[in-house]
Amino acid sequence: MTSKSVESRSEATVLFAGDSGDGMQLTGTQFTMATAHAMNDLATLPDFPAEIRAPIGTTYGVSGFQLKFGSTNIRTPGDEVDLLVAMNPAALKVNVDRVRVGGTILVNSNAFDKRNFELAKMDSNPLSDGSLDKYVVIQIELTRLTREALADSKLNQKEIDRSKNMFALGLALWMYSRPVQPAMDWIKKKFAKQPDIRDANLHLLNKGIHYGETTDAFAFQIEIEPAKLPTGKYRAIQGIEALAMGLVAAGQKSGLGIFYGSYPITPASDLLHALSRYKNYDVMTMQTEDEIAAIGTAIGASFGGKIGVTGTSGPGLALKTEGLGLALMLELPLVVVHVMRGGPSTGLPTKTEQSDLLQALYSRNGDSPLPILAASTAGDCFETAYEACRIAVKYMTPVIVLADGFLANGAEPWLIPNPDDLADFDVQFARKKNGVIDGKEVYLPYKRDEKTLSRPWAIPGTTGLTHRIGGLEKEHETGNVSYDGENHQLMTDIRHDKVQRVNQEVKPLEIFGDQSGDVLLVGWGSTRGSIEAAVARTRNAGHKVGAVHLRYVSPLPLDLPEIAGKFKKLIVPELNNGQLVKLLRAEYLLPFEPFCKVKGQPFRASEIEDKILEEIG
Amino acid sequence: MTDKEKNTPEDGARKPKLPPGMVPRSPKMPPGIASKTAAAKTPASAASASKTTSASSGRTKPGTAKPPGKRPGLPPSKKMPPAGGDGATSELKYTRADFSSDQDVRWCPGCGDYAVLATTQRLMPELGVRPEDTVFISGIGCSSRFPYYMNTYGMHSIHGRAPAFATGLKASRPDLDVWVITGDGDALSIGGNHLIHLMRRNVNLQILLFNNQIYGLTKGQYSPTSEVGKVTKSTPFGSVDHPFNPSAVVLGADATFVARTMDRDPKHMKSILMQAHAHTGTGFVEVYQNCNIFNDGAFFEYTEKTSKAERTIFIETGKPLVYENGTKGLRLNGLEMESLDLESGNYSVDDCLVYDDASRDLAGVMSRLFWKENMPQPFGVFYREERDTYDQLLHDQVSDVLKKRGPGSIEDLLHSGDTWTIE
Ligand SMILES: Cc1ncc(C[n+]2csc(CCOP(=O)(O)OP(=O)(O)O)c2C)c(N)n1
Ligand code: SF4
Ligand SMILES: [Mg+2]
């Protein structure tokens, strides 16, 4: 059909931006699905305001969805945007600086009127004042074209205007030679019961494609070859979905099932949403009255023999603090999934940050160590959640999983794992008395396993093993209340050593890039993509750079000092004001240097690249 | 005042035996390499050495002991998940001793808590529930030490949150018989939120609120049930806080079983606890409990022989509201109770209101007698209602979904939605 030429590229970054009500998240998601079907590698960055429907036309109401895709290994959602779709002046104003010089900006010119300039606090029309000269600007009368296309439809004006994102989607799909079938299938399914809306959307989608094919403004189509990903079956996955599935997998593999207690909070709510749909997967969920109750119900369930899990974000972790301390004292398995967001206090609820690491480590009263795992990619969320459950059960300890808003909402193609490959669980409920006191057989709830230092798990209902646990210091082995100083010292040491022994489970660190050289980057969590992209770039430029990424931030790995010794400079990039770097310095007495950012956005690979170059000098 | 938490000689007097692989801690190691024990250096490989044991190890058949707290008349619900009981049955007759732990009870001599403990331990054998299927969960306070003294499963949790722990346990293990122990500060101050949500959910368990109108464990500050003007360490000039009326609070939260009893009437207490246990749903029992150290005599008006008859009324469904040895009675005048002098010749027992604990309105009026100076204080079951329990509804929902969708496997879940293959 199309007579236009096709240009081949290895990668591209597209950003859809508009009002919160413009359906940009949906447009981005559908573009992502089409891209996944085109077998490109990809990474996404949804970015939306904290308000549900922020005032129309304002800069703070702008919602964006960025994705980078390509035939190569895509590690980040992209530094510079090749195509910006801006539905109104505010969306343009907020995002224009992200567009690379020479990049394309596609605007809905009908929205560029006086009223919207005022709402976006713009003095002049950017389409005519020359400020966009370094870009290729394509003006489309999206509102008018949409109204014309749907002149015969039964939808009302508001519904019609709201559909214009489908036109934009169709056009963007055409521009990048994406398959249109996934979006069509989705529309048909989603609006099966509303044929008018379904037909209008399908019609507009096709109109958008047709517009690309026939309009002179579009001289060529861009094509991006499929990526050379490992073979197998794939799906697109968001971090939050992967967390949910990792928990479900753990519940099933262990045979224990999952109990999830949670109180809604952005962005962790989606975990509650996901798990509450999985009631037939041996998952029980409960929306509690607050975060304290959430962790309480989870601990109660753990006491009864389930894997108790609770999830939260932002200030929610503060409320779980006391419960975490108790779980640590009770030595029951518990997993706390904490999806970090901008802080302190309510902070930036919809923006990403890694600033709760020290809180996760140290917010509890007393010496209260526990294992902390951080997920590094959307797909890694699955493994991390699973691993956290396994450790929690094996070591009889609460475990914190750290993720963040970027990980939770971002998506990537994911090679679907084979559940048979998942590590086995080691669940052994206590059935028998395990000690003798004064010639009498007794159950010692705090008797230790030789290898793990974990205590036995006797669940209520087990004959002969009645016992009481609680937050008061436990006497070694008997678990009776004890205020004895020697005993407290011993129990404190055991609790510490137990967490250290989790290092038995930790795989040796792998160095990405050069195995020795000038700069070593040490990262954790969602910064992995940006860090590795920066390492790849600087190595391409001839520098000797490596990176290690920690899944376990507690206990800290044993082999880091050895690796650190092979590099001249040690840099710790993190999305906070310098937290892991403090830990590393204190633990290893080595000159780790911070590289920090707290702007509500993930690192751009270029920012880390610049930092590396600066260090090399 | 003596420190009730002070060390007793037997605490840790034995030299603690070290767990394997642990060395007595030498002075703090220098900062640096993480490993502080020999075993911490063991390589990772050992992790997968042992075989997975399926969860079934702890959960075979439900015990044949009476399924605690099930709906009367219902067979042990098939909908419920497998019980945690290990199938051991008990033909044994239990005695009080079977429910008493080996721990020394450490309340102050004379404390009202002893009476509640003794009554509960005496009651348990009559309930037909194995100690192993019974769980006591408490918050923090003098009263919350209770679970340590029961030879059942137990958890001494954190201040105010026992209802949350109990809800999570009961929701996931409905086969267990769960009791919550709490104090007036624990339940109504720091834990007020959890208390009301427990009530509205109607989780099938019993909750005993030890009301001594004081913070005992923290040595005598006024509590949310202390009367206005109460002089305590934290209110040297008298409290200006308006107090809570516990039964009215829980009625306001749609509790399905509300009762009050007192430490000094073990017979009444036992009967009330028995009824709370028989109730399907949350059985709320407020116990007037004397703290002889920090609030001695708070309830003597109701509990002591000299004034008990005059100042209390024991209510029972189907019986007329009479008190003071039958010389006085109560009836409704509009929406208020009025006291009748049955010796005056003007009124007889027939004029007195016949109590009905199925009436929420009546329960409201009864609970509000709390505020009336010249009225007797009611004891007994204020209110009783059959309503589906949270744990039952939760499991019904799970089995509905299971019926509709069949048991899901992780394999299905991973492959759900849009997938594609790269060859
Ligand atoms: C988070 C927290 N805050 C405060 C305390 C201190 N504290 C322990 S018990 C208690 C009050 C207990 O009063 P009540 O519930 O009436 O129990 P009683 O001792 O009277 O039986 C307080 C304030 C605590 N343990 N935890
Ligand atoms: S409630 Fe009062 S009498 Fe009882 S143990 Fe506590 S301080 Fe002592
Ligand atoms: Mg009290």
Side-chain angles (χ1 to χ4, degrees), chain B residues 79-94:
Chain B
K79 294 171 191 159
M80 294 298 185
D86 47 18
T89 59
S90 63
E91 271 82 52
L92 284 174
K93 271 256 176 239
Y94 292 112

Side-chain angles (χ1 to χ4, degrees), chain A residues 265-268 313-316 338-356 403-405:
Chain A
I265 187 165
T266 303
S313 295
H338 183 59
V339 188
M340 296 176 287
R341 63 187 214 182
S345 189
T346 310
L348 305 170
T350 60
K351 308 290 176 194
T352 202
E353 207 163 279
Q354 297 182 299
S355 46
D356 299 340
D404 60 36

